[in-house]
Amino acid sequence: MRIKVHLEQLYDELPEDVQLVAISKYHPCEAIMEAYNAGQRVFGESHVQELLQKQPVLPQDIQWHFIGHLQTNKVKYITPFVSLIHSVDSLKLLSEIDKQARKAGRVIDVLLQIYVAQEETKFGLSEEELIETLNTIFSQKAEGTTFSFRIIGLMCMATNTLDDTLIHSEFAYAHEIFREVKDTYFKDEPSFKELSMGMSDDYRIAIKEGTTMVRIGSYIFGERNYE
Ligand SMILES: *Cc1c(COP(=O)(O)O)cnc(C)c1O
């Protein structure tokens, strides 16, 4: 019951233009089905192995988002079905997604993960690396290269802190980068419109700072059991 109640509360609370990605990592298929039966169709997982166990046995109209660090050698397992990869943090990964999406006969939507937090989190592109990555992609495009991925926005994680002011400033910084990138590279591409930020503890701040996609796990499903 808890899952349905919390989902419905989120549906009420989230602005219309903010998409809810229910993060189901470490939670069993029964919990996912409870959310599914309450109307949720978009779910996020952060481990390839776990996603590959769940995807075949759950309803096929679920849209699976991949949100965790993705190793290039595992890309091929998720490209046949994944609907959005949030966590692209290198050109190498992007070119592997391109290759595997092509093999699967698909064009896969991705977000570039940017690093905005104060703490030592390992993943995400700095602002400079983001610009370098986009310059490389767009110069290849200008030479006529076509890609089997589509960059539809950016993703970030804020520092894990109780300091709301810090979280506000990190999300505001992400939004500023998003706007700059949109203006510089994607002015004529309406599909570039997503800013994935906000989790259970900071999604309200993310809404104030212009998120379009919140990734909420423990608030919906309860604490994760990491065994
Ligand atoms: C686990 C995870 C979430 C969800 O975190 P909660 O605090 O449980 O809402 C969101 N984003 C990423 C990248 C995660 O790994």
Side-chain angles (χ1 to χ4, degrees):
M1 250 350 255
R2 176 205 153 103
I3 291 174
K4 184 167 190 270
V5 168
H6 281 234
L7 268 177
E8 283 173 352
Q9 190 253 308
L10 285 168
Y11 294 151
D12 280 346
E13 180 181 2
L14 295 176
E16 215 155 81
D17 52 356
V18 174
Q19 190 179 28
L20 173 62
V21 185
I23 306 302
S24 49
K25 65 188 185 198
Y26 294 99
H27 291 287
C29 290
E30 298 80 69
I32 297 174
M33 277 314 296
E34 199 175 327
Y36 181 90
N37 289 330
Q40 184 65 23
R41 291 293 179 272
V42 182
F43 292 87
E45 289 279 339
S46 60
H47 296 98
V48 169
Q49 204 52 43
E50 186 178 351
L51 176 54
L52 293 176
Q53 282 166 6
K54 289 172 172 173
Q55 188 270 339
V57 299
L58 285 161
Q60 294 303 295
D61 63 339
I62 286 180
Q63 295 166 43
W64 290 105
H65 289 195
F66 193 82
I67 61 161
H69 182 63
L70 182 56
Q71 290 168 283
T72 47
N73 62 346
K74 294 197 175 154
V75 169
K76 60 177 176 286
Y77 300 116
I78 64 169
T79 39
F81 65 87
V82 75
S83 84
L84 177 62
I85 301 173
H86 288 235
S87 43
V88 176
D89 60 359
S90 72
L91 260 181
K92 187 170 157 237
L93 179 57
L94 209 44
S95 67
E96 180 64 14
I97 292 169
D98 182 43
K99 180 173 143 198
Q100 297 301 336
R102 203 177 305 268
K103 271 194 195 166
R106 305 183 63 212
V107 173
I108 294 181
D109 286 345
V110 303
L111 306 177
L112 298 177
Q113 182 173 355
I114 54 171
Y115 177 87
V116 300
Q118 299 273 327
E119 63 191 10
E120 275 294 311
T121 47
K122 287 161 288 189
F123 307 116
L125 300 159
S126 68
E127 193 175 350
E128 271 187 335
E129 290 166 336
L130 174 69
I131 300 303
E132 258 173 56
T133 303
L134 289 166
N135 284 344
T136 306
I137 298 295
F138 278 83
S139 68
Q140 290 176 9
K141 262 193 179 166
E143 289 162 6
T145 308
T146 57
F147 296 107
S148 291
F149 58 79
R150 187 171 69 152
I151 299 169
I152 65 163
L154 304 178
M155 179 273 226
C156 74
M157 287 171 91
T159 302
N160 184 10
T161 175
L162 295 172
D163 179 357
D164 282 2
T165 311
L166 179 60
I167 299 173
H168 265 288
S169 71
E170 291 173 356
F171 283 158
Y173 174 59
H175 196 191
E176 190 184 307
I177 296 178
F178 172 81
R179 262 192 304 236
E180 278 173 24
V181 166
K182 171 87 187 159
D183 286 348
T184 312
Y185 297 92
F186 295 97
K187 222 187 218 134
D188 303 318
E189 294 185 42
S191 56
F192 185 91
K193 62 179 172 55
E194 304 296 350
L195 181 55
S196 166
M197 60 185 194
M199 315 185 356
S200 293
D201 290 336
D202 57 20
Y203 73 88
R204 290 190 173 99
I205 301 176
I207 290 169
K208 291 200 183 104
E209 298 296 348
T211 185
T212 68
M213 243 179 212
V214 288
R215 311 178 307 268
I216 300 183
S218 41
Y219 184 75
I220 300 169
F221 294 107
E223 292 306 312
R224 289 180 282 272
N225 182 0
Y226 291 102
E227 291 199 347

